[in-house]
Amino acid sequence: MKVKFIQNQISINIWGNLQKTNEYKEIHHILNKYYIIYLLLIYLQKLKPLHHIQDIYYRKAKEDQFRARSAYKLLQIDDSFQIFRQVERAIDLCAAPGSWSQVLVKKLTEKNFLPSESCRIVSVDLQEMAPLDHVTQIQGDITKKATVDEILKKFNNQRADIIVCDGAPDVTGFHDIDYYIQSQLIVAALNICLMTLRDNGIFVAKIFKGSDIKLLYSQFKLFFNQVYFMKPKSSRASSVEYFIICLQYTPKIQTQDFHLYTFLKEIEQAEKQKQETIDQEIEKEQSKYYKFITCGDLSGFDEN
Ligand SMILES: C[S@@+](CC[C@H](N)C(=O)[O-])C[C@H]1O[C@@H](n2cnc3c(N)ncnc32)[C@H](O)[C@@H]1O
């Protein structure tokens, strides 16, 4: 790096031959000091994108040959809920790059359902995914009916024991739009459950913080006996994601000629009305028993 010290019309090449007069030795020293700080800053900046190397799950995923650290989220959900206990056939929605599909392969292999003549795992994503042994891939949109038909075709019209969905839209940065698209993925995944999940089957899906938990709970409770929410340890604290785990699929509605989206909207309306009635009741009760009555006057001191 060449530095021109114009005021004194002397050229100083701090990395080459510096003219070593006493006056300029000092300047050389200062410039060198700042250049070292400059180099250090560049070095630290280069280190920043490497912060994931310190991430234990990132390193572990490399060791265990998972395609993404997300694999541990599904494994930790399984540790808590034993979701793979009775699984022979599985659907992975929004599967790319494929670490959840790898977990499905691992679990079905442990149970000796793999290798198998028939299709056991179907993975769907908008994006192309590198091939995985024992996984039948569909490149498609989970919100499209054609994708559901294709899944059923791959399974020979047999139903799945578990459906997992780790779907995340491309974030636009506009909270309302992102939230809306994410909720559309959940509705699409639930729609796929209605058409492809067996009775008592299991559904696991990613949801975002800010979702109306109470509403989601009451909507999913109409289809599953047990509904839980969980944030696995491997999900970064800074991430707004967490997961809904639905056990024992027992739809309490007929799914023929059924429009799920309208139905969910109706539940939302009903929930709102229920909440309004509760709020009104509470208000009524409070006005009955907890009326505050002002008393005393300014003629004396209060006790306190
Ligand atoms: C977080 S990644 C999934 C990671 C995956 N579970 C894994 O472990 O490797 C989210 C995926 O959702 C997919 N996706 C988003 N919208 C979709 C849609 N409508 N249909 C299918 N896939 C979708 C994206 O293409 C992306 O690959």
Side-chain angles (χ1 to χ4, degrees), residues 67-71 73 92-103 124-129 138-144 147 164-170 181 185 188 206 241:
R67 291 181 179 182
R69 69 191 288 296
S70 328
K73 298 174 196 167
D92 184 5
L93 300 175
C94 304
S99 78
W100 279 26
S101 296
Q102 288 179 295
V103 172
V124 186
D125 203 287
L126 284 173
Q127 298 177 51
E128 204 180 344
M129 199 169 99
I138 296 173
Q139 190 175 354
D141 185 342
I142 66 160
T143 63
K144 297 273 170 3
T147 308
V164 294
C165 175
D166 192 21
D170 281 342
I181 301 174
L185 287 183
K206 172 152 76 191
E241 72 177 12

Side-chain angles (χ1 to χ4, degrees), residues 235-248:
S235 170
R236 291 196 175 97
S238 56
S239 159
V240 291
E241 72 177 12
Y242 52 119
F243 294 86
I244 183 166
I245 296 108
C246 308
L247 311 178
Q248 296 175 4

